[in-house]
Amino acid sequence: MSASEVTNEVLLRRGRVAAVVDPSTAALCRVEDSGRPLMAARQPGVAYDDYRGAVCAPWPNRLGGGRYEFAGRWHQLPLNDTAHGAALHGLTEYGWWRIVHRDEFSVELTQDVRTEPGYPFDVEVTARYAVDEHGLQAQITARNLGAESAPYGSCPHPYLVAGPGMADDWRLELPARTRLEVSPATRLPVESVPVPGTPFDFRTSRSLAGAELDHAFTDVAHDAEGWCTARLWSTVGQGVELSWHGSARWVQVYTGDSMNGGPRAAVAIEPMDCPPDAFRRGQDLVHLAPGSTHRLQWRLRAL
């Protein structure tokens, strides 16, 4: 990663850790440790329909039909996942972000999601990235600037790279006890299923060879400080670790089977405030009261 900076990217560097952020989308474009990529790269200023590195808000994942009821009123969102008839990954990927703070090690960007079609609420979303000697620290914060409660959820969308090879060469460790079964036609939730004794049990590190994952998991074990952790390991002993605060109770794992330019070249691990279709189902949906804030915190480091 070059030490030079061009106008369409923000470079953060501290010791052996470096990251690049796209100021126009707040997307995380690269994270490296001693020159080793920890995630699939994204070119600043370019749209990606696989949402790599994106900030997804005010909802994560899919909202079936884009139609939902909140506080007694019905709303219709545009459908940007026409293959599954859904509104996908919120509104912030294509909105206008502005930098509100920046220094050598961190950057903070903000977008106002105001009276968008199908989302008539006044919510300010802020993405913050910082690097230190251990890796990347990040958070997504929402603040309700309006006079009424707003439905809300978010997720980051990094595609992680464990080391040499591809997903079939790597092992996943994810201490989750429950997953959502989804409809093959719509990719929307059908039922919650315990993972012990099934091919979706990654509580002990297991190979991803032949596994096709695009599922949400919950009931994730956390440490004494409330942090959950997922790890990918390569065959040469390298790996990557993504941790998130357990206030985000869900995590989506996707083996990148339809990634742009290279299927299964990385594995998306996406901490989520709420599960897919939460605007319609209500499960773990954040009701963001006027004047209140909500934060999703996550970290990324090399192993």
Side-chain angles (χ1 to χ4, degrees):
M1 188 179 295
S2 170
S4 64
E5 180 183 321
V6 294
T7 57
N8 69 337
E9 68 178 40
V10 174
L11 173 63
L12 309 175
R13 183 185 295 278
R14 192 161 197 168
R16 68 177 192 271
V17 179
V20 167
V21 176
D22 182 346
S24 64
T25 63
L28 185 62
C29 297
R30 282 179 282 168
V31 180
E32 296 177 358
D33 188 306
S34 301
R36 174 164 73 95
L38 304 186
M39 59 177 284
R42 169 179 176 144
Q43 184 68 31
V46 177
Y48 286 80
D49 59 13
D50 60 15
Y51 285 85
R52 66 181 65 186
V55 175
C56 303
W59 71 90
N61 212 284
R62 291 178 176 85
L63 169 55
R67 183 169 170 78
Y68 66 98
E69 182 185 14
F70 187 77
R73 289 182 293 168
W74 285 94
H75 307 284
Q76 178 65 57
L77 290 154
L79 304 185
N80 56 346
D81 180 7
T82 55
H84 299 100
L88 180 64
H89 283 325
L91 301 166
T92 50
E93 166 75 345
Y94 303 105
W96 181 73
W97 293 81
R98 64 186 185 277
I99 295 176
V100 293
H101 172 80
R102 179 178 174 183
D103 57 39
E104 184 180 359
F105 308 126
S106 68
V107 65
E108 193 169 296
L109 309 98
T110 295
Q111 180 183 147
D112 295 331
V113 183
R114 289 179 174 168
T115 62
E116 294 286 344
Y119 192 79
F121 306 98
D122 191 354
V123 174
E124 177 188 73
V125 179
T126 301
R128 184 180 190 275
Y129 303 100
V131 293
D132 60 23
E133 61 272 19
H134 303 294
L136 176 84
Q137 313 277 336
Q139 62 187 35
I140 304 169
T141 303
R143 182 163 64 106
N144 188 346
L145 305 178
E148 59 182 325
S149 291
Y152 179 79
S154 69
C155 78
H157 206 298
Y159 282 79
L160 306 187
V161 175
M166 303 174 70
D168 289 310
D169 304 307
W170 303 333
R171 293 178 291 119
L172 171 65
E173 178 186 338
L174 176 66
R177 294 189 57 84
T178 305
R179 71 173 178 91
L180 280 184
E181 181 66 58
V182 296
S183 162
T186 64
R187 308 303 300 170
L188 296 176
V190 175
E191 62 177 335
S192 295
V193 181
V195 304
T198 75
F200 297 90
D201 189 352
F202 293 93
R203 291 175 298 162
T204 300
S205 173
R206 281 202 308 113
S207 172
L208 285 170
E212 294 187 11
L213 301 181
D214 191 5
H215 294 83
F217 294 80
T218 191
D219 297 330
V220 185
H222 54 77
D223 65 18
E225 296 180 343
W227 286 80
C228 306
T229 298
R231 299 182 179 94
L232 280 177
W233 295 98
S234 73
T235 56
V236 299
Q238 293 178 335
V240 61
E241 176 183 281
L242 189 147
S243 301
W244 66 98
H245 194 271
S247 55
R249 298 184 57 194
W250 294 83
V251 60
Q252 184 85 8
V253 180
Y254 171 50
T255 44
D257 299 274
S258 300
M259 279 186 69
N260 294 340
R264 299 180 72 82
V267 176
I269 300 181
E270 313 156 41
M272 302 188 296
D273 289 311
C274 52
D277 216 23
F279 273 28
R280 296 199 311 161
R281 295 162 57 94
Q283 187 176 14
D284 290 331
L285 181 66
V286 178
H287 289 241
L288 197 61
S292 68
T293 61
H294 177 84
R295 180 174 294 114
L296 187 156
Q297 298 171 277
W298 62 284
R299 311 185 291 216
L300 184 64
R301 72 181 184 100
L303 296 171

